[in-house]
Amino acid sequence: MMNQEQLEQEVVRLADAWATAELQSDTPFLEKILADTFVGVGPLGFLLTKQEWLARLQSGDLKYNALTLNEAKVRVYNNDAAIMICRQVQDAAYRSNPIMAQLRTRLVFVQQKGQWQLAGLHLCNIGQPPPFARS
């Protein structure tokens, strides 16, 4: 049985493996790591199922030149669920339209049949607070 710190490190390792697979369009790996019930929420609020998420890479519509995760904070719940919030920096293109972005990303991992899977993720653009919220 892993302790809390080991579980947190395992989640960070999995998130990095996911990012590498996205960067390399490694859909066979993504097929395994994404839960069947996976839902991705894009930075503009659109929803993608597992098949739709994979299709954007399989079709070649989405291509990454760079994708890194940093500033990771992990919380593990009951040794079978974990949430990681991090900063995702990407240089990508969707149908040849550049997408340079810094995103706040929430990855939700669950342990199913003894294996960690990515059940969902939520991307949002990192912006500045509006003028009225600044002190």
Side-chain angles (χ1 to χ4, degrees):
M1 194 73 154
M2 286 196 232
N3 67 29
Q4 193 76 9
E5 192 176 324
Q6 289 169 318
L7 282 166
E8 288 172 12
Q9 289 168 353
E10 176 68 2
V11 167
V12 170
R13 192 191 64 70
L14 274 168
D16 286 338
W18 165 79
T20 300
E22 286 278 324
L23 178 61
Q24 298 171 350
S25 296
D26 182 353
T27 52
F29 177 81
L30 292 168
E31 181 85 46
K32 280 190 298 210
I33 197 173
L34 299 184
D36 289 341
T37 55
F38 171 88
V39 176
V41 181
L44 301 175
F46 55 87
L47 302 176
L48 296 173
T49 64
K50 177 179 181 173
Q51 292 328 109
E52 291 167 333
W53 189 269
L54 294 171
R56 59 203 235 300
L57 294 171
Q58 288 163 330
S59 64
D61 283 349
L62 181 65
K63 287 185 171 52
Y64 290 97
N65 298 314
L67 175 62
T68 57
L69 304 179
N70 55 45
E71 298 176 11
K73 302 244 185 307
V74 178
R75 302 279 181 276
V76 178
Y77 302 91
N78 297 327
N79 295 339
D80 59 8
I83 294 173
M84 179 173 133
I85 297 175
C86 61
R87 185 171 72 121
Q88 176 174 322
V89 181
Q90 69 179 39
D91 170 1
Y94 185 77
R95 296 183 179 162
S96 303
N97 297 291
I99 317 170
M100 303 282 286
Q102 290 195 39
L103 304 161
R104 191 66 63 203
T105 303
R106 178 189 301 121
L107 301 149
V108 179
F109 291 95
V110 293
Q111 189 145 207
Q112 299 186 113
K113 302 175 193 129
Q115 181 185 331
W116 284 99
Q117 289 192 305
L118 182 57
L121 65 82
H122 189 166
L123 305 167
C124 74
N125 288 300
I126 298 176
Q128 295 302 314
F132 63 80
R134 293 182 202 144
S135 52

